Amino acid sequence: MDLPKEIFLKDYKKPDYLFDTVDLEFQLGDEKTIVTSNIAVSPGNEGTSSPLALNGRDLKLLSIKINGTELKSDKYTVDPRHLTILTPPAGVFNMEIVTEIYPQLNTSLEGLYRSTGNFCTQCEAEGFRKITYFQDRPDVMAKYTCRIEGDKTLYPVLLSNGNLIEQGDLEGGKHYALWEDPFKKPCYLFALVAGQLECREDSFVTCSGRKVTLRIWTPAQDLPKTSHAMYSLKEAMKWDEEVFGLEYDLDLFNIVVVPDFNMGAMENKSLNVFQSRLVLASPEAATDGDYAAILGVIGHEYFHNWTGNRVTCRDWFQLTLKEGLTVFRDQEFSSDLGCRTVKRIADVSKLRSYQFPQDAGPMAHPIRPLSYIKMDNFYTVTVYEKGAEVVRMYKTMLGASGFRKGMDLYFQRHDGQAVTCEDFYAAMCDANNAQLPNFLQWYSQAGTPTVKATSSYDEGSQTFSLKLSQEVPPTPGQPMKEPMFIPVAVGLVDSTGEDMPLTSIYSDGMVQTLSNDGHPVFTTVLQFKKTEEEFIFNNVPERPVPSLLRGYSAPIRLDSDLTESDLYFLLANDSDEFNRWEAGQILARKLMFSLVADFQQQKTLALNTKFVDGLRAILRSTSLDKEFIAKAITLPGQGEIMDMMSIADPDAVHAVRTFIKKELAFQLKDDLLAAVTSNRSSEAYVFNHDSVARRALKNTCLAYLASLNEPDVTELALNEYKSATNMTEQFAALAALSQNPGQVREDALLDFYNKWQQDYLVVSKWFALQATSDIPGNVANVRKLLAHPAFDMRNPNKVYSLIGGFCGSPVSFHAKDGSGYKFLGEVVLQLDKINPQVASRMVSAFSRWRRYDETRQALAKAQLEMIISANGLSENVYEIASKSLAA
């Protein structure tokens, strides 16, 4: 195959032509769909005489007219990716293009496709080119109308962006709808849905008194499961008005539920499309995690109306401008509606489990990538979650009111524009008259910075010194790094466990006096900008224990000189609850590393009693939030530990984590049993923080107990499974039981499937539970599940559950005999023929193959080489596989 072309940020050029208005017409049919586009074109640069190149994929061109006259074939060229008009007229002109497409054959789920009989679109990032020939780039913004015609019986509901202007019947049993979006948008925000759907309708009155109609469209049988999604939408609308002063701008907001969807959801203007699991929920069939995800993602897509739609990206390299910002906004929304500390812990855990490894691997890229072959490969945890951490740092440095001022100026300057990350940075700095030197490095440098902290106390001068040094590791294409601007939030804790008031700090030749409107300051943010800096705290009456990086104020790895006793002290006393959790995690990591070394040297494993006592004290606490306790007694994941090893050893890490889990369960058995008993409830399911926290603690304790595999706890878990009145508790009991191979596990899994086989979302959970299992011989079990009647390789959700789940199981995926690698290699090639976007997400599991022992390296490399040599490989998979091999 021809090597795919790499696209670079440095080569960005403004479009030669602008599109002012776009009028689309769709004639939907079972065999084919005819698309007519009428576009008002104007020159992007005065006097341009360049050819007009339009993107297109899998299209049949029927006709092209310029100013009403059919264009002769020598006036344009067509190849598999472009339609080029060689000499467009000077000045403004009209262009009409008619294409024929085949949505029913479109398994890539990009552009217009059929899902369970309904028509649906997904245009971000480059799907619009599969609908019609177009300048498919985000800086071409136009006002759209969309007329849809289709069979009234098959497609009674016809939806697109904006307002419904006109609808009516046509002859031959057909009907039509005409939609108009009054706001300019890029083509990636275009959407069309047609099919047999019903809606839950509600309304929201905005802060200026406008009534907005809200509709959630779904197949009729799923309507009862949309009430939580509607609640989430109204809460998001209210929150965005209260926190950011942002009001919805149309009279109608539609959400459509689709079972087959590559993304989680899509923010198309006024017509959001969601995959089913992020909308549909009922207490019997959805977990607390599902309810929380629905709240967050409904919020996320709604918040895009301003951060993404009203102000969009100039080019796809700027994706974090909309996604990092909107992830930050949805994190804040969920924090305000739940428990802030617990949400912060969950977000940081996700960053460490998924983003840190990406930042240390062959696919490492800055939050604004410098190049790509397929943009779809850069919808990543780096662009989204690390991007959100970069936005959070602005708020940490400028404060909540300073951040709001920056946001206000950003919208004031750029509403209706396609802009860059520099524009956001400038708005933040200008609104606050702030200097943030070298902060833009976060947008251009890949890799996770490591900060070393050493401290000393001088009793004579009553000063406390904190020395910080930073290093950003080399990443592909970036061997040398500049120092980053790192905000480090610090508090000092005295010997009684209280925060010390901070009065002044000396650094870089200057003394900074700390004040807070006459109130004492207990946490301050140090601006750490050089390779090495020293910060001296004055008026410190005794040796403190420093609480560093409070609230996780920057996405870094911190290596401090805190002793073990310092960490136990912080675990018991820190006023910053995130850092209490963090102290426990550092202790657990240190314990796991020392036991891994013992295991590798075949020594007997033993658990530090101080660690057990520390967790027992947390477990018995009556003052701490119950969900916080559940997080605090959960060990770091196997992936997180392997990521910190020079040679990752999945077998040793698994053995050690299993040993610690069982030993804790044995030594804390009475406390764990008491927690299960005291957190049972016979009340009807409610999704609120107290109930979620109670269930989280009960389920975490049950999982510990079940690891003992003793008859009494197996009986307890079985009883919890059978008596559960909601999916959260039923599924947690099933997961607890399924830790141990044997008949009890098999019976419970079969019972669960028989109970829920009609609900495809619950069946996806069932697939995921088995895929992620660490039981011996699980590769063969997962291979068998591929042939299960409920599995469908064309449904991304099922692929993510079964194949994606399997890739996340360090034990089975990294099986020493290479069977896990071989399985994934075969599946990737099958998937690539169906849906390259989903296939490339799966092949990413191979990206860090060099982190393992030589045997595993050779086995994984063989699979990557097999993939790369396959005929007709997609650009999506080629980009990930080739970069992984080249590392």
Side-chain angles (χ1 to χ4, degrees), residues 490-505:
V490 178
L492 303 180
V493 187
D494 71 18
S495 55
T496 68
E498 296 295 317
D499 278 343
M500 295 180 165
L502 308 175
T503 58
S504 68
I505 298 172

Side-chain angles (χ1 to χ4, degrees), residues 603-624:
K603 293 182 182 171
T604 307
L605 302 184
L607 199 52
N608 179 337
T609 53
K610 206 169 173 192
F611 183 75
V612 182
D613 293 340
L615 290 200
R616 182 183 284 114
I618 293 271
L619 188 53
R620 287 181 175 176
S621 168
T622 51
S623 60
L624 287 170

Side-chain angles (χ1 to χ4, degrees), residues 770-835:
Q770 294 173 85
T772 53
S773 173
D774 295 330
I775 64 161
N778 200 40
V779 179
N781 183 38
V782 173
R783 193 180 275 281
K784 211 163 68 189
L785 285 169
L786 275 187
H788 193 283
F791 183 73
D792 181 358
M793 197 76 94
R794 291 166 308 179
N795 178 273
N797 208 23
K798 287 182 177 164
V799 173
Y800 298 148
S801 295
L802 186 60
I803 318 301
F806 173 75
C807 295
S809 159
V811 178
S812 303
F813 177 57
H814 297 294
K816 198 124 199 166
D817 62 359
S819 57
Y821 300 152
K822 187 171 185 297
F823 170 71
L824 183 64
E826 291 166 14
V827 167
V828 163
L829 290 182
Q830 278 177 281
L831 258 177
D832 196 40
K833 299 272 184 280
I834 300 167
N835 189 326

Side-chain angles (χ1 to χ4, degrees), residues 468-769:
L468 300 177
S469 64
Q470 60 167 294
E471 184 185 353
V472 187
T475 51
Q478 294 187 331
M480 303 296 291
K481 301 293 174 77
E482 294 296 316
M484 308 286 268
F485 186 122
I486 301 173
V488 181
V490 178
L492 303 180
V493 187
D494 71 18
S495 55
T496 68
E498 296 295 317
D499 278 343
M500 295 180 165
L502 308 175
T503 58
S504 68
I505 298 172
Y506 174 83
S507 76
D508 208 12
M510 291 169 66
V511 175
Q512 182 197 357
T513 304
L514 304 177
S515 65
N516 177 25
D517 294 333
H519 301 290
V521 173
F522 295 112
T523 301
T524 188
V525 179
L526 307 177
Q527 297 193 355
F528 174 35
K529 307 185 279 280
K530 300 176 185 169
T531 307
E532 290 183 359
E533 286 188 71
E534 183 178 18
F535 298 88
I536 296 171
F537 294 75
N538 300 312
N539 309 314
V540 181
E542 61 169 297
R543 172 184 284 281
V545 176
S547 171
L548 304 171
L549 208 68
R550 282 187 157 176
Y552 198 64
S553 58
I556 60 166
R557 294 185 192 271
L558 178 65
D559 179 8
S560 78
D561 62 353
L562 288 170
T563 63
E564 200 167 280
S565 61
D566 289 339
L567 290 164
Y568 280 112
F569 179 77
L570 292 173
L571 176 66
N573 297 294
D574 202 328
S575 66
D576 184 273
E577 282 197 351
F578 178 86
N579 269 10
R580 279 188 85 164
W581 172 79
E582 181 74 307
Q585 292 294 294
I586 296 168
L587 288 163
R589 287 197 288 265
K590 288 186 174 191
L591 173 69
M592 289 171 84
F593 283 129
S594 75
L595 289 176
V596 162
D598 289 348
F599 179 85
Q600 289 170 331
Q601 291 159 31
Q602 297 175 328
K603 293 182 182 171
T604 307
L605 302 184
L607 199 52
N608 179 337
T609 53
K610 206 169 173 192
F611 183 75
V612 182
D613 293 340
L615 290 200
R616 182 183 284 114
I618 293 271
L619 188 53
R620 287 181 175 176
S621 168
T622 51
S623 60
L624 287 170
D625 178 271
K626 287 182 177 181
E627 197 175 4
F628 174 82
I629 295 173
K631 297 272 189 210
I633 64 171
T634 299
L635 298 168
Q638 296 176 56
E640 189 182 327
I641 299 301
M642 291 197 312
D643 186 47
M644 297 169 79
M645 298 173 76
S646 52
I647 297 174
D649 185 341
D651 300 325
V653 174
H654 175 61
V656 161
R657 196 172 188 275
T658 305
F659 164 76
I660 298 174
K661 198 173 172 184
K662 282 190 172 172
E663 196 60 28
L664 285 171
F666 176 71
Q667 296 196 36
L668 301 175
K669 187 174 177 181
D670 291 344
D671 291 295
L672 293 165
L673 283 167
V676 170
T677 309
S678 64
N679 287 293
R680 283 195 187 107
S681 170
S682 55
E683 290 173 21
Y685 178 91
V686 213
F687 178 73
N688 60 30
H689 179 64
D690 288 347
S691 305
V692 167
R694 177 182 57 71
R695 288 187 287 267
L697 180 55
K698 177 189 155 215
N699 294 338
T700 302
C701 294
L702 186 65
Y704 266 110
L705 288 165
S707 70
L708 292 170
N709 204 11
E710 294 171 353
D712 62 329
V713 287
T714 303
E715 193 55 44
L716 169 73
L718 263 173
N719 184 50
E720 291 297 326
Y721 172 74
K722 288 172 183 163
S723 62
T725 57
N726 59 72
M727 182 56 72
T728 306
E729 291 176 305
Q730 186 177 57
F731 196 72
L734 179 67
L737 288 165
S738 70
Q739 293 176 82
N740 307 304
Q743 200 55 47
V744 173
R745 176 184 194 271
E746 299 310 312
D747 291 350
L749 283 166
L750 183 62
D751 177 76
F752 187 82
Y753 178 74
N754 288 337
K755 200 175 281 177
W756 291 107
Q757 58 186 309
Q758 300 309 319
D759 189 321
Y760 64 96
L761 291 176
V762 180
V763 171
S764 284
K765 293 184 197 304
W766 181 78
F767 278 132
L769 181 62

